[in-house]
């Protein structure tokens, strides 16, 4: 099989933000890079999380050698419990990433059954025919890696999420030299993060937020509430350092913030000055100007600590007039409503609110590479083939055009979830499609999968409501004992006259049905549903969900 080709098969993250998951196959060996989730759009009513459809991996379970993680953000590790409940394969990740994964698997009672294997930048390991070298990259989270994968057809590099920060707060800089080495050796294909392809120039370093935050700390007279993503360890570190400099104690509030800061301290990513951390219950023991509250909930999540504090519903974190609240994070598209609702509540409490509105100075920087950094990576690696990953279709398309126009790569290809891209030393082309898509899950359980039909029904109910015709049938004689009752909820136009007419429609349907049809509840329910639907649609132009109920007496 000298002519065997390498297959790259995205299962999520290409054509959307989040749910990053990509399979790489050579003959009978498959490795999976990342296993993310995404949070649902508003039209996915009642759905808690969305994960990739892994039908392809389940069908080829005996070939899957392992899942390799680039870093610990939810859009790269959040789908693991779902995937591992279907496939029992080892999971590879850096020390910090696996610390996050452990907590997630423990929550889903999968930790004891899963083999977690720690990897480190510069230490190669093999999975089947693949030799993988993690390479240190910088991002908004710590301990992140890109993956250089040596395959039988050539080297492919997957950047993961990255920006080029040569002086990050933990002094573990982006490893430009290692990428340059691979560029010298020759790279067959580069899969590069497209998130910020719309942004010209360079993404600023994490340190660049410090001057503006320092200014805010120095002029805040009362309590200071500081909120950022709980995984933004660099930002937490800068905030704690500034609190120490300005003589404030730090109370950490919110489960995710407490967990993240504990993991970061245990692994040495967060050095906390002795005596600075206080229990949230001690906040009231200090003068307002002596306290900073590090609080989770930047995206306005309904039950987060910040959302509860904003409506005076938190046991320890009370926001009073004159307090300052700093939201050091970006607004994730889709979360605008909930974030601005929280900001409104904060203003009602006469708090000073500082958020990333473009006018407040630099209080947040992105964790993703802008155009010049993307170009720099392409020039360093000089790949033969270029494949953009992570982003909506327009981002992938723009990124591919940018790479092609540089004149460095032979061919830039846009692929989407489910496409099968086949590569060898000379050629790269799409050769087919596999089953891919999204699986909606309620309440975070790996069991509660929400079918498309359920979401359609929920949408239907939310738009037109429902109507319940209730019939009482004598079990022995098969006769209808009384006039049908009609109950409706959320159905506009359900006036007395219409309901009366609807009862007559149901009675008429029953009269026109034979005894045999009446005895078959499935048939009679469907006849009533069709006749009532036709009548209501004709008279109101609405289509409520109609669910006939038969009571036996």
């Amino acid at each position: 099989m000298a002519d065997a080709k390498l297959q790259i098969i995205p299962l999520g993250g290409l054509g959307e933000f989040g749910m990053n998951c990509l399979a790489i196959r050579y003959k009978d060996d498959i490795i999976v890079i990342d296993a993310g989730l995404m949070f649902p759009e508003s039209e996915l009513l009642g759905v808690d999380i969305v994960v990739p459809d892994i039908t392809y991996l389940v069908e080829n379970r005996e070939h899957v050698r392992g899942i390799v993680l680039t870093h610990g953000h939810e859009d790269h590790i959040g789908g693991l419990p779902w995937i591992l409940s279907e496939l029992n394969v080892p999971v590879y990740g850096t020390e910090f990433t696996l610390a996050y994964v452990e907590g997630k698997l423990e929550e889903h009672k999968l930790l004891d059954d899963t083999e977690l294997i720690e990897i480190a930048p510069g230490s190669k390991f093999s999975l089947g025919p693949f030799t993988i070298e993690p390479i240190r990259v910088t991002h908004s989270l710590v301990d992140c890696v890109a993956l250089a994968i040596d395959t039988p057809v050539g080297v492919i590099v997957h950047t993961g999420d990255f920006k080029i920060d040569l002086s990050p707060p933990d002094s573990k800089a982006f490893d430009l030299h290692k990428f340059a080495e691979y560029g010298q050796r020759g790279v067959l294909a580069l899969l590069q993060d497209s998130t910020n392809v719309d942004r010209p120039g360079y993404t600023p370093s994490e340190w660049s937020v410090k001057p503006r935050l320092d200014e805010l700390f120095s002029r805040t007279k009362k309590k200071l509430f500081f909120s950022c993503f709980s995984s933004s360890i660099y930002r937490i570190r800068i905030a704690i350092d500034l609190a120490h400099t300005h003589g404030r104690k730090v109370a950490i509030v919110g489960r995710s913030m407490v967990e993240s800061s504990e993991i970061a301290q245990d692994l040495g990513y967060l050095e906390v000055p002795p005596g600075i951390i206080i229990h949230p219950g001690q906040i009231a023991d200090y003068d307002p100007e002596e306290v900073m509250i590090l609080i989770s909930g930047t995206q306005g999540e309904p039950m987060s600590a910040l959302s509860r504090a904003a409506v005076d519903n938190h046991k320890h974190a009370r926001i009073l007039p004159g307090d300052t609240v700093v939201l050091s994070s970006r607004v994730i598209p889709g979360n605008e409503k909930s974030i601005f609702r929280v900001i409104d509540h904060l203003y009602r409490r006469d708090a000073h609110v500082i958020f990333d509105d473009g006018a407040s100075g630099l209080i947040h920087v992105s964790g993703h590479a802008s155009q010049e950094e993307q170009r720099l990576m392409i020039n360093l690696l000089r790949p033969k083939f270029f494949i953009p990953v992570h982003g909506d279709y327009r981002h992938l398309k723009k990124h591919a055009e940018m790479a092609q126009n540089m004149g460095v790569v032979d061919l830039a290809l846009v692929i989407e979830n489910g496409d099968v891209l086949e590569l060898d030393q000379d050629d790269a082309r799409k050769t087919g499609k596999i089953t891919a898509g999204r699986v909606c899950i309620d309440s975070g359980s790996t069991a509660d999968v929400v079918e498309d039909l359920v979401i359609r029904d929920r949408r239907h109910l939310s738009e037109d409501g429902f109507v319940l015709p209730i019939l009482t049938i004598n079990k022995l004689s098969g006769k209808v004992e009384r006039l049908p009752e009609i109950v409706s909820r959320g159905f506009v136009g359900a006036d007395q006259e219409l309901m009366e007419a609807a009862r007559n429609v149901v009675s008429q349907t029953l009269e026109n049905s034979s005894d045999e049809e009446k005895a078959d509840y499935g048939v009679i329910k469907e006849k009533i549903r069709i006749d009532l639907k036709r009548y209501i649609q004709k008279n109101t132009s609405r289509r409520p969900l109609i669910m006939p109920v038969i009571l036996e007496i």
Side-chain angles (χ1 to χ4, degrees):
M1 294 244 331
D3 59 347
K5 292 180 186 284
L6 183 78
Q7 294 183 331
I8 293 176
I9 307 165
L11 302 173
L14 275 75
E16 69 228 334
F17 281 109
M19 215 167 74
N20 298 298
C21 187
L22 181 110
I24 296 177
R25 179 170 190 159
Y26 183 76
K27 297 184 184 175
D28 281 342
D29 292 281
I30 299 172
I31 56 169
V32 180
I33 297 175
D34 291 329
L37 59 71
M38 65 191 278
F39 294 104
E41 302 104 338
S42 55
E43 62 262 26
L44 293 176
L45 301 162
V47 170
D48 293 315
I49 61 168
V50 185
V51 296
D53 183 335
I54 57 159
T55 304
Y56 174 76
L57 299 180
V58 173
E59 286 171 354
N60 292 279
R61 65 171 75 239
E62 70 277 14
H63 304 309
V64 181
R65 302 291 167 247
I67 299 170
V68 188
L69 304 172
T70 57
H71 67 287
H73 274 144
E74 285 290 315
D75 58 335
H76 292 258
I77 67 168
L80 269 177
W82 161 255
I83 292 176
L84 292 172
S85 68
E86 301 277 327
L87 294 174
N88 191 0
V89 295
V91 176
Y92 296 77
T94 58
E95 182 183 38
F96 190 86
T97 303
L98 291 186
Y100 268 10
V101 168
E102 277 179 20
K104 192 168 282 299
L105 297 185
E106 199 164 4
E107 202 179 307
H108 289 85
K109 301 183 173 52
L110 290 165
L111 185 56
D112 294 343
D113 302 325
T114 306
E115 186 183 4
L116 299 179
I117 299 167
E118 193 180 310
I119 61 175
S123 298
K124 294 183 180 181
F125 62 100
S126 293
L127 280 174
F130 306 107
T131 301
I132 302 165
E133 180 172 10
I135 305 173
R136 167 87 59 208
V137 296
T138 43
H139 183 40
S140 53
L141 186 63
V142 296
D143 217 6
C144 305
V145 290
L147 301 171
I149 305 165
D150 211 334
T151 78
V153 300
V155 173
I156 62 172
V157 175
H158 189 299
T159 64
D161 285 357
F162 80 100
K163 69 175 180 182
I164 298 178
D165 192 343
L166 299 178
S167 60
D170 63 358
S171 304
K172 294 180 177 175
F174 188 97
D175 193 348
L176 279 173
H177 299 293
K178 183 59 75 175
F179 285 105
E181 266 177 44
Y182 272 98
Q184 293 280 299
R185 272 182 55 190
V187 172
L188 180 66
L190 169 63
L191 290 84
Q192 191 182 54
D193 173 20
S194 306
T195 306
N196 276 356
V197 71
D198 287 334
R199 294 195 189 184
Y202 295 87
T203 303
S205 164
E206 279 294 320
W207 281 121
S208 56
V209 299
K210 193 170 181 180
R212 172 66 176 140
L213 292 179
D214 193 14
E215 181 204 329
L216 289 172
F217 272 76
S218 62
R219 64 159 213 248
T220 296
K221 297 286 178 268
K222 293 195 173 178
K223 288 199 296 295
L224 177 63
F225 289 81
F226 188 90
S227 190
C228 62
F229 293 119
S230 58
S231 58
S232 297
I233 306 302
Y234 294 139
R235 201 75 44 84
I236 292 171
R237 178 175 173 159
I238 289 169
I240 290 175
D241 286 350
L242 286 171
H244 183 55
T245 305
H246 292 275
R248 288 178 183 263
K249 298 289 186 187
V250 177
I252 302 175
V253 174
R255 188 171 70 110
S256 60
M257 192 65 86
V258 169
E259 285 174 3
S260 272
S261 50
E262 282 177 356
I263 290 170
Q265 281 183 76
D266 290 347
L267 300 181
Y269 286 95
L270 200 55
E271 287 169 18
V272 177
I276 193 173
I277 302 287
I278 59 170
H279 186 274
Q282 297 174 273
I283 293 171
D285 301 345
Y286 292 86
D287 290 337
E289 63 275 10
E290 295 178 336
V291 184
M292 177 187 88
I293 294 103
L294 196 56
I295 190 165
S296 57
T298 57
Q299 298 303 302
E301 304 91 332
M303 291 311 293
S304 67
L306 185 62
S307 291
R308 287 185 290 137
V311 291
D312 271 349
N313 188 23
H314 196 285
K315 192 163 50 171
H316 303 304
R318 296 188 66 78
I319 295 169
L320 300 172
D323 287 348
T324 297
V325 182
V326 177
L327 301 176
S328 179
S329 65
R330 75 185 181 101
V331 175
I332 291 180
N335 294 350
E336 295 90 348
K337 264 189 180 168
S338 49
I339 294 169
F340 287 115
R341 191 168 57 241
V342 169
I343 289 173
D344 272 357
H345 287 308
L346 294 170
Y347 274 115
R348 285 179 204 279
R349 308 233 129 28
D350 279 333
H352 304 301
V353 187
I354 317 287
F355 59 98
D356 191 16
D357 58 359
S360 300
L362 203 58
I363 59 166
H364 171 69
V365 292
S366 172
H368 297 272
S370 298
Q371 287 174 4
E372 291 309 314
E373 291 150 280
Q374 291 170 343
R375 287 194 177 98
L376 175 57
M377 282 283 279
I378 293 166
N379 272 320
L380 273 179
L381 289 165
R382 307 187 77 78
K384 189 177 180 75
F385 304 118
F386 179 84
I387 301 123
V389 293
H390 308 170
D392 292 333
Y393 190 84
R394 66 182 186 279
H395 296 91
L396 306 179
K397 184 77 177 160
K398 186 170 181 179
H399 202 176
E401 285 171 359
M402 182 186 89
Q404 194 73 66
N405 292 340
M406 286 173 64
V408 174
V409 304
D410 285 8
L411 180 63
L413 300 112
V414 177
I415 58 172
E416 290 186 275
N417 298 339
D419 285 342
V420 177
L421 178 70
E422 291 202 341
L423 305 173
D424 58 21
Q425 281 101 331
D426 310 307
D427 189 32
R429 65 182 64 191
K430 286 188 258 191
T431 58
K433 271 193 108 57
I434 53 106
T435 303
R438 44 179 66 181
V439 175
C440 300
I441 294 177
D442 263 357
S443 70
S445 155
T446 50
D448 298 339
V449 175
V450 186
E451 302 293 340
D452 287 347
L453 185 66
V454 174
I455 292 172
R456 200 166 66 234
D457 282 350
R458 286 176 181 175
R459 197 171 301 137
H460 195 155
L461 283 166
S462 73
E463 288 165 0
D464 290 323
F466 68 87
V467 172
L468 295 182
I470 303 171
L471 316 176
T472 311
I473 291 182
N474 187 309
K475 195 173 179 182
L476 299 173
S477 65
K479 285 202 171 71
V480 179
E481 290 289 329
R482 59 172 78 109
L483 264 177
E485 269 184 72
I486 299 212
V487 176
S488 75
R489 289 288 182 273
F491 169 44
V492 178
D495 56 25
Q496 195 64 41
E497 204 177 313
L498 184 84
M499 289 293 112
E500 198 57 49
R503 285 169 74 171
N504 292 335
V505 169
V506 175
S507 299
Q508 197 65 46
T509 303
L510 289 165
E511 274 177 39
N512 296 340
S513 302
S514 66
D515 289 344
E516 205 174 347
E517 284 176 321
K518 283 185 208 167
D520 186 330
Y521 291 165
V523 171
I524 201 69
K525 276 184 180 181
E526 190 57 19
K527 282 189 76 173
I528 289 168
R529 195 186 67 76
I530 290 167
D531 288 353
L532 200 52
K533 177 184 167 188
R534 193 179 296 131
Y535 174 77
I536 289 173
Q537 206 170 334
K538 185 179 172 190
N539 286 277
T540 67
S541 299
R542 295 192 173 276
R543 300 177 59 189
L545 201 63
I546 297 168
M547 300 166 65
V549 175
I550 294 178
L551 305 176
E552 284 185 330
I553 56 167

